[in-house]
Amino acid sequence: MGDAKSIDPAAVEMLAHAESCGIGTAFSRASEMKPCPIGEVGACCRICSMGPCRLVGKDAENKTGICGADLPTVASRHFARQVAGGVAAHSDHGRDMALTLLAAATGEAPDYVIRDQQKLLVVAGYLGVPVADRSVAEIAADVAEKALEQFGQPHGEILTTKRATPKRQELWHKLNLTPRAVDREITEVMHRTHEGVDLDAENILKSALRCSLADGWGGAMLSTDISDILFGTPSPLASEVNLGVLKDDQVNIVVHGHEPSLSAMMVEAARDPEMLAEAKAKGAEGINLAGICCTANEILMRYGIPPAGNFLHQELAVLTGAVEAMVVDVQCIMQALSPLSQRFHTKLVTTSPKAKIPGAEHIEFDEATALDTAKAIVRMAIDNYPNRGPVHIPEYKEDLVAGFSHEYLNYMQGGFYRASFRPLNDAIIAGRIRGLAGVVGCNNARVTQDEGIVELIKNFIARDVLVVVTGCAATAGAKHGYLSPEILDAAGPGLREVMEAIGIPPVLHLGSCVDNSRILTVLTQVATEGGVGEDIDDIPAVGLCPEWMCEKAIAIGTYFAASGAHVIFGVSSPVGASSVVTELMTKGWEELVGGSLEFEPDWNKVLERSLELIDAKREAIKLQPYDPSQFGQSGDTLYFDAIKAQLGGYGGNGGHEHEHGEAHTHDLAAAAVETAAAADSAGADPTEA
Ligand code: BF8
């Protein structure tokens, strides 16, 4: 692991620019301020005002706080509250989507339409909403109401948990882990972790597991489903990514945050011919919309709007001096954007009543007048264009393909009439695909930006592990070329054969962070399709979050573990101070729910552990051991190699020129394939790759 701030050349260039301007960023602040070593590992109890109590020193595990709370209680309470915070954030987003659907159905939000009626009917089915002889608006209104009930219902269980395998549902019932209502699970965790309530770490962690399931199989899943209903279920499309998508001769508007109800309207407003004429009247060639963070994924996969970057790119975008407006809603917005924007001409616009920032302009976004509000914001950006000063846009951008929804994966493997996961399951059974890895989550300024994410993606596909990506990890992969179709060259021989047969790339973009729910339903279908076990904990799959940063990531990792997946996070462990809690979340949870949550900062060790877990699962369900030497004897590679030999060599291997003017061949990826093949065939330790 390097000491560099980022492996992204655009970020490196912009950080040098920031330094030359004397401007600090999250990268420089992370260097200046070390994390509190007590809080970082969960040893600080801030639950009551007799403390904060800090359980530190050699005998920390034998110490207690003033009330007598020991380290396992302190660490597990803090962890459970992180889970509740993350579940609240995702689920409140989901609730807002349900409210938007209701307003669209009742005519109170006339700018929104039901774009995917097919999905509406499917979701109506999950939620038990009758559809026969009813209008789309009636069904949509009932779906929205039923979704809203899942947040606050006084009785029953969250209906979407029924999408899990029968075996998983039975296990959750047996363990009393089936979430009852989103708000109730969050409230109960906050109650249990109040001073003097639940003082048993194992029991506290069980409540965290149940609460997390209210996110993955509740709030986040409903958010994904309703976003698809309102804005369309994604299918693959091409676009570009990184700061080089900003344009020096156009009005640049960056949308940053999470909820597509705002960003989708911004897309519509920015494409309005009237707006374009106004921009031209101010001397601009056009209006260029770009995204940051998860809302970027939302509008990328539905409209092809290019992401300007992931979490740590938000300040760098403003630093280009080319952004007329940065429009934010909720989550992952740095307060630092406000003073930074004031050093440039950039208008920072907050839009949610839940999320204001001192120094920003607040234009409240109301679904009832959505398009008019979006147009007012676009007009503000246009009017700001003449105020632009010197511009520094790094010329780095990459091509990408995004938008592989669960529905599209089904369609892709059998067409409309024979949609299935059979080809994927058969490839896992045969060993062409060694296993599956979900690489998800944030950037974290404490580690080298994108490094762990990209190295894991690169090494997984070279070893025939099919990768799915979401959130800022998806953007990281894309910035480094791993969502480009050309990256097929970097895949191992078995994976490559499958990809050529099905026609998909080895790294699949599944969306934003709430869309991790798509990974849950994909894994469930793999389990129920046959041949790869009966439940998620049977599948040779791992979940990775190399740069986790916020509570939402902790909630995601916990619900994957509760669903049966082995999950490994990078950076540092928020329960690292307590060996008891660490043991409970690894061995304890594995015995309880078949999944686990580990923390390991070294991506080399994460890779080694992931492959170990995948191979152990293959063995447990009696699949043949992974053997890449069996594959690669057919397919397009041989055909192109033959042509190459015939012509005496040509500039193949994906060589191409980027906007930054450097021709390259994704050499790192090609080198990874060779290294992986050499290391694996020699039985070498892959961490030395
Ligand atoms: O929800 S990956 S930094 S943007 S929290 Fe935030 Fe993390 Fe990015 Fe999206 Ni997810």
Side-chain angles (χ1 to χ4, degrees), residues 452-646:
I453 297 164
V454 169
E455 290 295 337
L456 284 171
I457 293 173
K458 177 171 80 183
N459 281 284
F460 278 136
I461 63 173
R463 289 162 173 79
D464 296 306
V465 174
L466 174 63
V467 176
V468 296
V469 288
T470 59
C472 288
T475 311
K479 284 190 295 172
H480 297 273
Y482 285 89
L483 295 191
S484 144
E486 294 163 7
I487 213 68
L488 205 58
D489 287 340
L495 183 58
R496 187 175 174 125
E497 280 185 10
V498 180
M499 301 298 102
E500 285 171 352
I502 306 179
I504 53 168
V507 184
L508 301 170
H509 174 279
L510 258 66
S512 63
C513 276
V514 291
D515 294 328
N516 283 313
S517 63
R518 297 190 204 272
I519 302 180
L520 291 176
T521 56
V522 162
L523 289 175
T524 299
Q525 191 172 345
V526 170
T528 51
E529 184 81 40
V532 193
E534 296 171 30
D535 196 2
I536 291 179
D537 63 343
D538 295 324
I539 301 171
V542 284
L544 298 314
C545 189
E547 289 188 41
W548 79 275
M549 173 276 298
C550 67
E551 292 168 331
K552 288 182 291 170
I554 290 289
I556 292 166
T558 307
Y559 73 63
F560 270 103
S563 304
H566 285 294
V567 180
I568 312 175
F569 274 40
V571 189
S572 64
S573 168
V575 298
S578 170
S579 57
V580 173
V581 174
T582 302
E583 184 94 352
L584 281 170
M585 285 166 47
T586 49
K587 290 199 185 107
W589 282 3
E590 182 164 7
E591 275 168 30
L592 194 72
V593 288
S596 62
L597 180 51
E598 300 174 28
F599 292 85
E600 170 52 63
D602 181 340
W603 66 259
N604 280 298
K605 289 187 182 153
V606 173
L607 175 68
E608 185 181 11
R609 175 87 179 121
S610 300
L611 295 173
E612 191 182 287
L613 288 164
I614 285 172
D615 290 344
K617 289 287 180 193
R618 292 190 68 86
E619 197 180 338
I621 56 169
K622 301 192 170 38
L623 299 183
Q624 55 180 301
Y626 166 67
D627 175 10
S629 68
Q630 290 183 49
F631 306 110
Q633 311 306 319
S634 64
D636 298 352
T637 321
L638 298 181
Y639 173 67
F640 286 120
D641 282 351
I643 292 177
K644 204 191 304 188
Q646 187 86 21

Side-chain angles (χ1 to χ4, degrees), residues 4 43 49 52 55 124 149 189 238 243 266 274 317 321 364 445 493 528 674:
S49 71
L55 308 187
E149 277 175 24
V189 165
L243 293 167
M266 290 297 296
E274 202 185 317
E364 199 141 310
T528 51
E674 282 161 27

Side-chain angles (χ1 to χ4, degrees), residues 41-378:
V41 293
C44 176
C45 183
R46 297 185 64 243
I47 295 289
C48 82
S49 71
M50 291 193 289
C53 294
R54 299 171 305 162
L55 308 187
V56 291
K58 280 202 189 84
D59 58 344
E61 303 244 23
N62 298 321
K63 284 186 177 166
T64 71
I66 290 171
C67 71
D70 60 12
L71 200 40
T73 298
V74 169
S76 59
R77 253 188 332 210
H78 178 251
F79 178 84
R81 286 194 163 208
Q82 284 186 304
V83 170
V87 176
H90 277 153
S91 297
D92 212 33
H93 168 173
R95 187 197 322 259
D96 280 348
M97 296 314 300
L99 289 167
T100 304
L101 178 63
L102 185 60
T106 55
E108 287 158 48
D111 297 325
Y112 296 92
V113 293
I114 312 295
R115 283 204 198 282
D116 191 340
Q117 296 184 6
Q118 176 74 22
K119 180 119 189 191
L120 175 69
L121 298 181
V122 172
V123 177
Y126 308 144
L127 296 177
V129 170
V131 297
D133 302 323
R134 305 186 74 202
S135 71
V136 167
E138 283 170 336
I139 298 168
D142 280 2
V143 162
E145 291 286 9
K146 207 69 187 169
L148 289 168
E149 277 175 24
Q150 308 312 304
F151 294 89
Q153 63 191 7
H155 306 291
E157 294 169 344
I158 293 177
L159 285 171
T160 31
T161 56
K162 297 204 180 339
R163 297 181 71 189
T165 66
K167 205 173 159 193
R168 183 71 22 191
Q169 291 182 53
E170 203 179 305
L171 179 69
W172 289 339
H173 278 134
K174 194 176 106 197
L175 298 172
N176 198 17
L177 289 182
T178 310
R180 297 152 297 181
V182 177
D183 298 348
R184 181 171 178 183
E185 300 308 345
I186 296 166
T187 303
E188 188 170 314
V189 165
M190 296 309 284
H191 175 200
R192 280 172 180 244
T193 54
H194 182 275
E195 190 278 326
V197 187
D198 197 349
L199 303 168
D200 178 305
E202 193 173 353
N203 211 38
I204 292 167
L205 290 177
K206 262 184 86 178
S207 73
L209 286 170
R210 183 168 57 191
C211 185
S212 74
L213 290 170
D215 179 8
W217 296 89
M221 191 169 276
L222 287 164
S223 181
T224 294
D225 284 344
I226 296 172
S227 300
D228 286 353
I229 291 169
L230 280 170
F231 306 109
T233 302
S235 52
L237 41 67
S239 188
E240 295 176 318
V241 62
N242 215 340
L243 293 167
V245 305
L246 298 174
K247 296 197 161 62
D248 61 5
D249 57 355
Q250 296 197 19
V251 175
N252 290 303
I253 303 172
V254 175
V255 284
H256 170 23
H258 282 78
E259 295 183 358
S261 42
L262 167 71
S263 53
M265 280 301 134
M266 290 297 296
V267 175
E268 212 161 305
R271 288 176 174 174
D272 187 302
E274 202 185 317
M275 295 284 117
L276 188 61
E278 287 185 28
K280 293 211 161 164
K282 295 279 181 188
E285 286 299 311
I287 301 169
N288 181 42
L289 196 64
I292 295 271
C293 281
C294 277
T295 213
N297 285 306
E298 299 280 0
I299 52 176
L300 163 66
M301 64 188 174
R302 297 200 177 88
Y303 307 98
I305 301 295
N310 41 7
F311 176 68
L312 283 176
H313 269 40
Q314 57 189 286
E315 290 172 285
L316 308 185
V318 175
L319 270 157
T320 63
V323 176
E324 274 59 53
M326 181 169 278
V327 189
V328 304
D329 55 11
V330 290
Q331 301 170 21
C332 305
I333 321 291
M334 291 188 196
Q335 186 165 354
L337 286 176
S338 179
L340 178 67
S341 300
Q342 283 158 19
R343 296 193 61 162
F344 295 84
H345 76 305
T346 305
K347 300 265 187 202
L348 178 65
V349 184
T350 54
T351 57
S352 166
K354 295 175 198 166
K356 293 189 177 181
I357 305 175
E361 292 205 35
H362 188 72
I363 302 182
E364 199 141 310
F365 189 75
D366 179 350
E367 274 75 10
T369 54
L371 191 55
D372 285 345
T373 312
K375 281 185 184 173
I377 296 171
V378 171

